[in-house]
Amino acid sequence: WDETHFGKMGSYYINRTFFFDVHPPLGKMLIGLAGYLSGYDGTFPFQKPGDRYEQHNYIGMRGVRLSLLDQVRGLFSLVPLLELSKSLPAALLTAFILIFDTGCITLSQYILLDPILMFFLMGAVLSMVKCNNCADRPFSASWWFWLSLTGVNLAGAMGVKFVGLFVVLLVGLNTIYDLWDLLGNLSLSLVVFGKHLLARVLCLIVLPLALYTAIFAVHFAVLNRSGPGDGFFSSAFQSQLIGNNLHNVSIPE
């Protein structure tokens, strides 16, 4: 059933048809983008589970996650575990288990948000661990890169599903511990500590919020045609949708 639902959402993006859904839009936009780039024209109705795709090109929406995200997810698990455990056999075993896990393989065969969500979750953990390993080189180019990438992955996780809040909590607790440790370092001045605090506010709060907002800006810019989600929004909003009965009608504030 979920593939029917999210496949239809991807078709809405290709057709630029407005809809309403409980999840943030990033994952569905990426599904639509994968279908568009692979030649899917957005005409399959996705009415019920089990319907045959026939001549419709669904390979992109299914196959991109199976071939790309699964392999990258294995790399994302290999690197942080190697950094944390310093054991190559343990890291390789974990990556092998994740890549060939039956549940992960099954999820990745269908048009679902979960593989995309796991990509950003594990990306956030990877960049967080790499940033921690740059603690002896604060404010270096690599330190800024991994700290910023952590913020990007946090926005990605939250932009796919709200359960991405759990990785936000993980990174937040790690950041609090890191700042508490820096505050207790008497060799650091308050000015330097302030720079550390400001850097984390910019990269782990401001940047993710800006990207999260930008995701919705793209969402509303793409979906400019009337669709099944119109009724959830105000008359003034509906007047901006092409094909709506209120399109271009003057709505008093």
Side-chain angles (χ1 to χ4, degrees):
W1 184 87
D2 278 350
E3 180 175 66
T4 302
H5 176 71
F6 294 120
K8 183 179 291 185
M9 301 299 105
S11 297
Y12 284 150
Y13 279 107
I14 293 174
N15 296 318
R16 307 192 68 172
T17 303
F18 189 79
F19 67 93
F20 177 80
D21 190 50
V22 296
H23 298 296
L26 179 60
K28 291 163 290 188
M29 281 198 291
L30 292 176
I31 290 173
L33 179 63
Y36 176 77
L37 294 178
S38 60
Y40 171 58
D41 57 5
T43 57
F44 186 72
F46 286 102
Q47 291 181 341
K48 63 181 185 298
D51 285 348
R52 294 185 178 275
Y53 288 104
E54 301 297 346
Q55 78 279 7
H56 295 278
N57 189 353
Y58 65 94
I59 299 299
M61 292 191 289
R62 276 187 175 180
V64 168
R65 284 177 299 289
L66 181 60
S67 61
L68 177 61
L69 295 186
D70 266 16
Q71 309 310 317
V72 175
R73 189 172 66 229
L75 176 64
F76 280 6
S77 64
L78 173 65
V79 176
L81 200 68
L82 185 60
E83 296 278 1
L84 292 170
S85 68
K86 306 301 180 185
S87 171
L88 181 60
L92 288 173
L93 178 61
T94 303
F96 179 86
I97 290 172
L98 282 174
I99 291 173
F100 295 101
D101 177 76
T102 304
C104 291
I105 292 175
T106 302
L107 283 175
S108 298
Q109 291 182 46
Y110 298 102
I111 305 171
L112 300 173
L113 299 182
D114 303 271
I116 305 173
L117 173 66
M118 292 174 67
F119 172 84
F120 286 112
L121 292 177
M122 300 189 74
V125 174
L126 166 64
S127 50
M128 180 188 73
V129 170
K130 293 293 289 184
C131 183
N132 288 343
N133 288 341
C134 295
D136 57 338
R137 306 185 304 276
F139 308 112
S140 63
S142 58
W143 185 86
W144 278 111
F145 173 78
W146 290 114
L147 187 64
S148 301
L149 189 59
T150 303
V152 171
N153 283 312
L154 291 181
M158 277 293 298
V160 175
K161 276 189 174 182
F162 286 126
V163 293
L165 277 170
F166 286 107
V167 79
V168 174
L169 177 63
L170 172 66
V171 173
L173 291 174
N174 176 77
T175 303
I176 292 171
Y177 175 83
D178 189 30
L179 289 173
W180 181 255
D181 188 54
L182 290 171
L183 187 61
N185 186 350
L186 299 180
S187 64
L188 292 180
S189 66
L190 286 178
V191 174
V192 175
F193 175 78
K195 291 180 180 179
H196 277 278
L197 178 61
L198 181 60
R200 285 157 176 80
V201 168
L202 289 175
C203 294
L204 301 180
I205 297 178
V206 176
L207 177 60
L209 286 177
L211 292 175
Y212 186 75
T213 305
I215 290 168
F216 278 91
V218 174
H219 168 78
F220 288 115
V222 171
L223 303 182
N224 63 353
R225 298 182 181 276
S226 180
D230 294 15
F232 292 97
F233 292 83
S234 67
S235 300
F237 180 83
Q238 293 181 45
S239 68
Q240 303 173 31
L241 298 175
I242 300 171
N244 190 281
N245 292 332
L246 300 175
H247 184 229
N248 284 336
V249 173
S250 177
I251 306 294
E253 293 186 3

